Amino acid sequence: MSIQVAPSILAADFTRLGEAVDMVNRSRASMLHIDVMDGMFVPNISIGFPVISSVSRISRKPLDVHMMVMDPGRYVDVVRDAGGALMNVHYEACTHLDRVVASIHDAGMKAGVTLNPATPVGMLEDIIGEVEMVLLMSVNPGFGGQKFIANTVRKVARLRELIDSTGSKAVIQVDGGVALDTAPALIKAGADVLVAGSFVFRSMDPVGAIESLIKLGE
Ligand code: DX5
Ligand code: ZN
């Protein structure tokens, strides 16, 4: 069971963002997770497109852009132009999810659909064949450093079943409160990619922290 890690730069020191990206470049992280918030879909405002463009100029890892915004279909081309490789949109924020997923593909990016903690995995039945990733939130989105919601482990297992039974190629990503104590159950349940913010950036040895999560799957 190999596991990939996507460090979330929301937890980085923004006065030293370049150093944070360099650290991720040096690590075995698979992608760089960027949290975009609009103050409407979630109660916080975080990183915007000019920052994503700057990060993309120095990142050697693909950018995984997690859009915590209402109606994210408005920003597909902007995310692509800023350097996004994968665009994650919330199920709860899209009235016409199928159209948004198609437009992400048309823009040349991989598409991910994200579920809030209270949204059942079953809602994905009719889109699972179209996406490259499903992101399960293991905290209520909006802030780093929150407590992991344990029910996510059962959701990962149910999503694994849905993916395997439909032949979908989607990978399962989990975001929020991921650390060495919460990761093993997620990996066992079938998670493929772990997002980690505080666990990586609050560590004295962030490259080692990424490595320690990867090692859990080896
Ligand atoms: C939360 C964001 C997460 C956040 C995770 O809304 O989507 O990506 O950075 O932070 P930690 O790992 O600290 O829970
Ligand atoms: Zn995120």
Side-chain angles (χ1 to χ4, degrees):
M1 284 181 295
S2 77
I3 193 82
Q4 300 179 51
V5 174
S8 165
I9 57 158
L10 185 64
D13 175 351
F14 288 163
T15 66
R16 308 168 95 184
L17 198 49
E19 287 168 42
V21 177
D22 283 344
M23 178 283 291
V24 175
N25 283 342
R26 286 196 310 276
S27 77
R28 279 211 289 152
S30 299
M31 53 192 105
L32 181 57
H33 186 85
I34 303 188
D35 291 303
V36 179
M37 303 180 189
D38 67 351
M40 290 292 287
F41 181 68
V42 292
N44 199 4
I45 296 179
S46 56
I47 296 164
F49 304 115
V51 176
I52 300 178
S53 296
S54 301
V55 167
S56 93
R57 281 202 293 278
I58 58 169
S59 177
R60 293 205 298 271
K61 310 286 181 176
L63 302 187
D64 159 32
V65 183
H66 177 193
M67 297 293 286
M68 285 164 275
V69 308
M70 298 301 297
D71 199 5
R74 293 174 292 159
Y75 297 113
V76 170
D77 289 344
V78 188
V79 169
R80 190 264 324 277
D81 293 346
L86 187 150
M87 181 169 168
N88 259 304
V89 297
H90 272 259
Y91 173 86
E92 303 85 0
C94 298
T95 308
H96 301 288
L97 181 60
D98 182 83
R99 178 183 290 150
V100 175
V101 165
S103 66
I104 293 171
H105 287 149
D106 288 347
M109 293 183 286
K110 290 184 178 172
V113 59
T114 307
L115 298 186
N116 278 336
T119 305
V121 158
M123 304 309 277
L124 297 172
E125 222 171 271
D126 294 293
I127 196 74
I128 194 71
E130 309 299 324
V131 293
E132 284 76 31
M133 174 182 282
V134 175
L135 168 52
L136 297 181
M137 290 309 300
S138 40
V139 296
N140 287 293
F143 304 92
Q146 301 184 81
K147 188 173 179 296
F148 179 81
I149 297 172
N151 181 56
T152 313
V153 175
R154 281 190 288 275
K155 286 180 78 173
V156 171
R158 281 198 291 271
L159 178 56
R160 186 82 269 159
E161 271 175 35
L162 178 66
I163 289 172
D164 292 349
S165 67
T166 55
S168 157
K169 297 277 188 289
V171 297
I172 302 176
Q173 186 179 49
V174 182
D175 183 8
V178 172
L180 286 181
D181 55 342
T182 52
L186 293 170
I187 296 169
K188 191 159 173 252
D192 301 297
V193 189
L194 301 177
V195 176
S198 321
F199 175 69
V200 168
F201 287 98
R202 303 267 158 83
S203 165
M204 297 295 286
D205 173 15
V207 171
I210 293 166
E211 198 60 29
S212 68
L213 289 172
I214 295 172
K215 287 260 159 61
L216 292 175
E218 286 176 344

